[in-house]
Amino acid sequence: MSTKHATVRYTAMRLGVFVGCFFVIWALVYFRVLPAGLGESNLLWVLMLAIVISAPLSFVLLRKQRDAMSAKIVERVDHSKARLDSNRSQEDGLTQ
């Protein structure tokens, strides 16, 4: 799997899991399988349930994408550290 756009892919898939959970929960509340919120709080109830349910689902279902994203981030950090060390050694050579 390509890691070129790993962060974008993971974020989009995480958002997709949340949206899917939102619509499933909304349908369950609409058909009265799940209780509606109190008064006008129905949307807030559905949003909170979607967040609570989508978080562990994303953790389990998107493991490969999360690992690819973290590998890409580690690669970028290591590259930045190497470049910073290189610049530091060049500065040290000029001041001596």
Side-chain angles (χ1 to χ4, degrees), residues 2 12 41 43 51 69 83 87:
S2 171
S41 68
L43 180 62
I51 289 170
M69 179 184 69
R83 194 169 26 166
N87 288 343

Side-chain angles (χ1 to χ4, degrees), residues 13-23 46-47 50-51 54 58:
M13 292 178 83
R14 178 93 194 256
L15 184 62
V17 169
F18 169 74
V19 169
C21 286
F22 176 82
F23 282 117
V46 173
L47 281 171
I51 289 170
S54 70
S58 295

Side-chain angles (χ1 to χ4, degrees), residues 13-57:
M13 292 178 83
R14 178 93 194 256
L15 184 62
V17 169
F18 169 74
V19 169
C21 286
F22 176 82
F23 282 117
V24 167
I25 293 169
W26 178 81
L28 292 173
V29 168
Y30 181 79
F31 292 113
R32 299 180 191 261
V33 175
L34 290 176
L38 298 174
E40 298 296 318
S41 68
N42 191 28
L43 180 62
L44 183 61
W45 167 250
V46 173
L47 281 171
M48 289 180 59
L49 274 176
I51 289 170
V52 168
I53 292 172
S54 70
L57 281 176

